[in-house]
Amino acid sequence: MPPSPDFEDGQMAYRLKLREGLHKGIRRIGLEQIERVEAHLRAEQDVATAVHDARRCLKRLRALLLLVRPALEADLYRKETRRLAQVGRMLAGARDRFVMCQSLAGIEKAAGPLPGDCGPLLQALITQGHDLAAPPEPGLRHEALVKLGASRKFFSGRALHDVSMTDVWEGLEAAHRKGRHAFRACYRKPDDEAVHAWRKAVQRHWRHMALVSRAWPQETAARIAEAKMLSQILGEDHDLAVLAALASRHREQLPEEGVAILIQHAKGRQKDLRALARLHGDRLYAEPPEDLVERLAGYWEATRSLHKFESAAPAEAEPQAPESRGSPTPLQDVASAADGSQAPRATATESSVRRLPPRGARKRARA
């Protein structure tokens, strides 16, 4: 059995639940992720992994905020997402140095040691005397914890009490449309910044799919897997771009031949990665955002109806025998609809789609 889409590296609870009040679910998810960041910041062992995990929790929090953005006032949304971004930047330096060292090792493994001791010299420039295994400085850690305390108050407060599933679907559609535009922009003007912007949108999409995965776990699992694979491809591209840019900035301090080989290898690898990413992007963005959201909204309401039906059914009830002459069973309805002998009854999926704002109205609102 494939892993549940509710998991992101062991994050079982990063999902909205069908039988939980929406604002309670958002609060639960937000507070749990904040607690995880706080725990990672206090870690004294395996610090590189702890910092990486803390940054991922922060990305989950920002993806959650983006999903419910339509329900928040613009100033409040900017304030909260800016605070989380600031905490992320406090942790970025150590993680970026660690990743650049890994990228350098990968290049030397593929192309051989860079001439003129370029590798060790470049690694010294990357680390700048920092211990990559050291925890964040106490002052930085304290400032980050203070900001997280303010975020805790936001998620515990009343700002999210009026969020509805309509807000969630609108937030998902807007974010996915932005990702689709970022994908197209990459291949109109394929520079490093455009690719990095697209990668961030892809990461948000898989986290949004995890949050609404209860709509249909098998369906969302496929999109999560596709987006994660695409994110890894774009992540390698970004890591190479950062390393090549650092080497270019310090050309005077590094052997010229070593820098030339490093940049040539990085650019060649990026070309291959971007060609592969385009194929994955074509599949992930094949469906217009409004169609994807209508489908997921329909699944969500249909699954809720199924859960209500199953909860209301008596535990001792026996299934109706196939030869019974009573009313047709749900399976008989499906079979009749498939062979065209009977029009299918209205489903929860259809009713849920009708409850969404008309597509034309959404397009006018976006304009």
Side-chain angles (χ1 to χ4, degrees):
M1 179 179 292
S4 166
D6 305 330
F7 288 81
E8 183 193 345
D9 306 302
Q11 303 301 309
M12 272 187 67
Y14 191 71
R15 66 176 187 185
L16 297 170
K17 297 180 181 178
L18 296 164
R19 302 180 185 180
E20 182 180 38
L22 183 56
H23 78 276
K24 291 182 180 179
I26 295 166
R27 180 179 62 191
R28 168 182 56 79
I29 294 167
L31 293 178
E32 181 182 88
Q33 295 303 316
I34 289 171
E35 288 171 5
R36 289 177 180 274
V37 179
E38 291 170 341
H40 291 314
L41 285 175
R42 296 187 177 100
E44 299 293 338
Q45 302 294 327
D46 197 6
V47 173
T49 299
V51 168
H52 181 47
D53 289 342
R55 293 184 70 198
R56 287 195 293 190
C57 290
L58 291 165
K59 290 176 181 179
R60 294 184 197 113
L61 284 165
R62 294 180 68 187
L64 176 62
L65 280 177
L66 185 63
L67 191 67
V68 300
R69 182 177 185 175
L72 301 174
E73 294 185 3
D75 289 345
L76 179 59
Y77 170 79
R78 282 194 293 268
K79 177 183 176 182
E80 295 305 322
T81 197
R82 186 184 302 121
R83 181 189 297 125
L84 294 171
Q86 288 170 346
V87 177
R89 283 194 292 273
M90 291 177 188
L91 306 177
R95 177 63 186 172
D96 289 347
R97 287 190 290 271
F98 178 77
V99 170
M100 279 193 282
C101 288
Q102 286 189 316
S103 298
L104 176 59
I107 288 178
E108 291 203 299
K109 182 178 180 180
L114 298 174
D117 286 334
C118 185
L121 290 170
L122 184 54
Q123 183 159 344
L125 283 171
I126 292 169
T127 59
Q128 296 181 345
H130 290 87
D131 180 1
L132 299 183
E137 297 176 6
L140 198 65
R141 184 170 6 189
H142 174 74
E143 186 179 353
L145 290 170
V146 169
K147 290 183 180 296
L148 288 169
S151 293
R152 180 185 291 277
K153 289 180 181 178
F154 166 76
F155 280 101
S156 300
R158 298 193 58 83
L160 298 166
H161 272 230
D162 295 328
V163 178
S164 69
M165 284 306 297
T166 298
D167 296 318
V168 167
W169 301 129
E170 288 180 358
L172 175 57
E173 182 178 335
H176 193 45
R177 176 169 287 103
K178 186 174 181 180
R180 207 174 191 225
H181 290 164
F183 165 49
R184 291 171 176 169
C186 277
Y187 295 96
R188 286 196 301 267
K189 186 183 178 184
D191 59 33
D192 295 337
E193 288 301 318
V195 173
H196 185 46
W198 180 27
R199 181 197 177 208
K200 290 189 287 187
V202 170
Q203 290 180 325
R204 287 191 292 265
H205 183 66
W206 102 53
R207 292 181 171 112
H208 286 169
M209 290 297 99
L211 286 165
V212 301
S213 62
R214 294 301 296 160
W216 194 338
Q218 294 82 357
E219 175 84 10
T220 51
R223 297 194 66 84
I224 291 170
E226 181 71 12
K228 280 192 172 186
M229 181 174 291
L230 178 54
S231 175
Q232 289 171 359
I233 295 167
L234 298 175
E236 184 181 347
D237 181 286
H238 176 65
D239 296 342
L240 290 168
V242 172
L243 180 62
L246 179 71
S248 294
R249 287 197 304 272
H250 295 278
R251 277 182 180 274
E252 295 180 357
Q253 300 168 252
L254 298 168
E256 183 177 346
E257 185 182 359
V259 172
I261 291 174
L262 183 147
I263 292 175
Q264 181 183 17
H265 179 87
K267 295 297 182 185
R269 179 62 179 155
Q270 284 180 293
K271 182 179 179 181
D272 293 340
L273 290 167
R274 292 177 188 185
L276 179 60
R278 186 168 197 165
L279 300 175
H280 284 283
D282 283 337
R283 183 158 63 174
L284 188 65
Y285 297 104
E287 187 175 19
E290 59 268 25
D291 292 351
L292 172 65
V293 168
E294 285 192 2
R295 235 178 3 96
L296 290 171
Y299 295 159
W300 183 271
E301 292 301 325
T303 305
R304 286 188 64 190
S305 297
L306 283 169
H307 277 253
K308 289 178 181 177
F309 178 82
E310 291 166 357
S311 298
E316 67 277 12
E318 293 291 334
Q320 190 174 12
E323 62 271 21
S324 171
R325 296 181 178 274
S327 300
T329 66
L331 288 177
Q332 289 170 330
D333 275 350
V334 172
S336 299
D339 65 17
S341 61
Q342 177 182 326
R345 291 178 291 184
T347 65
T349 301
E350 293 166 349
S351 62
S352 69
V353 171
R354 286 197 292 270
R355 282 196 287 274
L356 282 175
R359 188 182 301 177
R362 298 209 305 279
K363 288 182 178 179
R364 288 193 295 275
R366 290 195 297 272

